[in-house]
Amino acid sequence: MNSCLWDVNRWGPTGPEEFKTNLSAMVSNVPGILSPGGHCVWLTSPPGAREIDSKGMNVPGLDFQCLTTRYNVVEANWLAAHVSARGRISVLDLHYYLQAQTARRNKDGIHWSSST
């Protein structure tokens, strides 16, 4: 499971706070949703470029987010990893593993080549 870029960017200035609230609620609900013996894995968001050039992330009036997204992702990943681990959800840190693979990131700054 992953939810970060959309949540912290598309919902405007309240996005990061809403992400925190929604993440905690989601983690607390996971045990009741999984079937017996089921397993949930949280995937951290991969690193974004210095400047995001994605039509889906470029919201009129929130243009500054094209420059701040990579910082928001680091903070959201840290929070998500800790909240998930406390809720006994495994965490796969894609951000860590893809730091040395940024040449494989697409020109929009957030999507990745299928060869990654």
Side-chain angles (χ1 to χ4, degrees), residues 8-13 49-72 108:
V8 300
N9 286 320
R10 288 295 290 186
W11 306 120
R50 287 186 180 146
E51 186 170 353
I52 304 299
D53 188 24
S54 171
K55 291 178 185 172
M57 291 292 126
N58 195 356
V59 179
L62 299 175
D63 305 304
F64 68 92
Q65 291 183 149
C66 291
L67 301 171
T68 60
T69 294
R70 67 184 181 146
Y71 303 109
N72 290 337
D108 67 1

Side-chain angles (χ1 to χ4, degrees), residues 14-28 79 83:
T14 62
E17 284 303 315
E18 289 182 41
F19 177 76
K20 291 176 188 177
T21 302
N22 293 338
L23 177 68
S24 295
M26 185 275 306
V27 168
S28 66
L79 176 72
V83 170

Side-chain angles (χ1 to χ4, degrees), residues 29-100:
N29 287 323
V30 165
I33 296 170
L34 288 176
S35 58
H39 189 80
C40 182
V41 178
W42 182 269
L43 306 173
T44 64
S45 290
R50 287 186 180 146
E51 186 170 353
I52 304 299
D53 188 24
S54 171
K55 291 178 185 172
M57 291 292 126
N58 195 356
V59 179
L62 299 175
D63 305 304
F64 68 92
Q65 291 183 149
C66 291
L67 301 171
T68 60
T69 294
R70 67 184 181 146
Y71 303 109
N72 290 337
V73 165
V74 169
E75 290 183 28
N77 280 342
W78 184 89
L79 176 72
H82 285 81
V83 170
S84 297
R86 271 192 309 229
R88 298 183 184 246
I89 294 174
S90 298
V91 177
L92 177 57
D93 193 352
L94 294 179
H95 192 276
Y96 174 80
Y97 290 109
L98 291 174
Q99 287 181 75

